[in-house]
Amino acid sequence: MNEGKPGTPGASEGPDGDFELARPNRTPSPGTGPDGDYELSGPLAGSGHWDTPAGLATTGPYDASTGSGVAYADPPADDTAEPAEARGATTTGAKVSATPAAPGTEAPATDADTPAPAQGATPDLTAATPAPGTEAPAPVPAPAQPHPTPLHDPDPYSTPPYGEPGPWAPAPPVQHPATTPAHGVAVNASEAAPAAPVVQDAPVVDPWARYDPWAAPASAPLQQAEPVEEDVKRRRGRRRRALITGALVIALVSGVAGGVVGVQLERNGGIGAVELPQAGVEAPDRDPDSVAGIAAQALPSVVTLHVSGGGSAGTGTGFVLDDRGHILTNDHVVEPAGEDGEITVTFHSGDTAEATVVGRDSGYDLAVVRVKGVRGLSPLPLGNSDNVQVGDPVVAIGAPFDLAGTVTSGIISARERPITAGGEKGDGSDVSYVDALQTDAPINPGNSGGPLLDGKGRVIGINSAIRSADGGLDPEGGQSGSIGLGFAIPINQGKRVAEELIRSGKATHPVIGITLDMQYSGDGARVAAEGSDGGPAVSTAGPGAKAGIRSGDVITKVDGRPVHSGEELIVKTRAHRPGDELELTLERDGKERTVSLVLGSSDGD
């Protein structure tokens, strides 16, 4: 079937062989125009009759039953154009072919040479479409033709080209939706917008061809749409941001990795195992005369005492005197125990044992305790305090602030330093008089009773007191710590007292047999006017009375050494044993004289 398709040449050719297009049958609706005429659609659409332009002839009104009745003649003659007949154009159609056909060939169909429908034939409104695979002939410019003026006024309904559906006009041919081609895509000739006004000798493409459902596809190849060119600055910005981001990521990763490696290298000195240089194992033995050698020998014989009783407690130090368990310490260390208190002795090995008081003497500030059931005790060797010279090195061992086994060292900074300590009771019974060795070896509370050793590890003194920062001087008066002024009881005095305490539980004091005026502020020691009990100041038949000492005499020297106070005279006297002979220098009535006497003895008085 060829309904609506172009016919085959020859069957419907025009007078000159032009291809005759068949238009679809349209039955005019009754009352379409004022005279029942058919209303055309397309470029020549109008309402009612057409006014015949100048130079055009009509064959009469349009016959709706046959679709004929209008014929156009050639346009007005142009002085510069050849007559249509001379060019072989068809004059019976509604359009004029301006281009002559070659002998034996068909003239190309354009909008200007579409033949009018023959008398009694059905108008063909489809456009001439090139056969598949062929290319449409190039358009030839032709002179513009005047647009025919319709016979009636314009359509009051503003009917667009091709008309709209209604009772007075057929429905327009089916159209595909018009689309805007993408940028860079070639436009198909069959889908192009309607051609410009017809120019003579230019082939015109029938607009009906774009709606032919059997039309051949466009032969032009499809082209890929080209992307819109990006803004150069935006591309550079994105590229720069990408580079910066990449650089930051690389820097971050490198920093973390470098930090880990650096820490590893700093801590371990390398990636591998950590091994720091270290000296090899050496023999533990030290020179016996060194501090370490002295401490190593002495520490097993030094003990720590914890004393409690009578609502008080304290900590001190002591050292072993013999293998029977006798330990020498200060009297003020064991004083809190009283008669029924507890004393616990802790050895350097960590072993502990209960101890009991053997004897004590507040005047010398010395006491002896004993532990039982302990074997393997190592007594400390005793030295001779009379051989000590200022500047000799010394080592102090004790438990300052309960830190047992503390070793400090220093020198002897002075000797025969008369000191007094105690006196808390107020009656003088607890005052100790010591002709002490002074040392700068740090001594603190808790060192009391500990040994002061010479350079050979021998005991030369018993640490007893320190000078505190506030100026006080007593066995526990240095609670603020050492300031480099420590005092020790000479071992010669401590040995004698310890022997007496172990033997009898009491110690004897050497005496002159006089009462001293302790309120005297002058230089020397003055004999009081009367005794403490109201009796005579010089004991009858005592050592002083036998030497001729009287009340009011001022003693200025002992064995040729100056004496500046009564306390100092007592200290010098107790530095000797009972029975020792002393030489005293005294002043009486402005005159100086020297007397000799033999020291007497008293039981702890």
Side-chain angles (χ1 to χ4, degrees), residues 229-489:
E229 184 178 359
E230 293 183 290
D231 184 73
V232 176
K233 292 185 178 179
R234 186 174 303 172
R235 287 201 307 272
R236 290 180 179 174
R238 285 199 297 268
R239 194 157 43 240
R240 187 180 298 109
R241 287 193 296 271
L243 291 175
I244 294 175
T245 302
L248 290 176
V249 171
I250 293 174
L252 179 60
V253 173
S254 301
V256 172
V260 172
V261 174
V263 170
Q264 187 73 11
L265 291 175
E266 182 180 356
R267 290 182 178 178
N268 304 332
I271 303 300
V274 178
E275 186 173 354
L276 300 176
Q278 185 179 16
V281 178
E282 298 177 351
D285 297 337
R286 294 289 184 272
D287 185 353
D289 295 338
S290 66
V291 175
I294 294 172
Q297 296 174 11
L299 279 171
S301 301
V302 179
V303 300
T304 302
L305 286 79
H306 295 89
V307 182
S308 62
S312 61
T315 300
T317 306
F319 59 93
V320 178
L321 291 175
D322 54 30
D323 56 2
R324 294 182 297 172
H326 290 105
I327 297 172
L328 181 62
T329 186
N330 285 134
D331 176 67
H332 71 265
V333 172
V334 300
E335 182 182 6
E339 298 295 334
D340 55 357
E342 294 183 358
I343 301 175
T344 302
V345 176
T346 303
F347 295 89
H348 183 65
S349 63
D351 298 327
T352 60
E354 297 294 327
T356 57
V357 176
V358 175
R360 44 180 296 204
D361 186 280
S362 60
Y364 288 110
D365 193 20
L366 292 173
V368 175
V369 299
R370 183 181 182 183
V371 294
K372 295 181 180 181
V374 180
R375 299 179 181 179
L377 297 177
S378 299
L380 273 179
L382 304 181
N384 189 335
S385 55
D386 290 341
N387 297 332
V388 175
Q389 300 297 322
V390 174
D392 287 346
V394 291
V395 175
I397 301 178
F401 299 100
D402 203 14
L403 300 174
T406 299
V407 178
T408 59
S409 64
I411 61 170
I412 295 295
S413 54
R415 54 190 302 270
E416 296 182 356
R417 183 76 75 186
I419 64 170
T420 58
E424 285 81 4
K425 292 182 178 180
D427 57 0
S429 61
D430 62 338
V431 176
S432 61
Y433 299 90
V434 180
D435 194 17
L437 298 173
Q438 179 179 314
T439 179
D440 65 350
I443 296 175
N444 294 284
N447 275 102
S448 296
L452 183 66
L453 309 174
D454 62 9
K456 295 183 179 180
R458 300 171 298 189
V459 180
I460 59 174
I462 301 97
N463 300 318
S464 299
I466 62 173
R467 174 72 66 176
S468 62
D470 60 359
L473 182 64
D474 58 68
E476 296 294 339
Q479 292 296 326
S480 60
S482 172
I483 60 173
L485 292 174
F487 303 94
I489 300 172

Side-chain angles (χ1 to χ4, degrees), residues 1-2 27 31 58 82 126 184 203 229 231 263 327 348 396 403 405 505 579 595:
M1 299 176 64
N2 285 329
T27 305
T58 62
E82 295 181 7
T126 60
E229 184 178 359
D231 184 73
V263 170
I327 297 172
H348 183 65
L403 300 174
V595 297

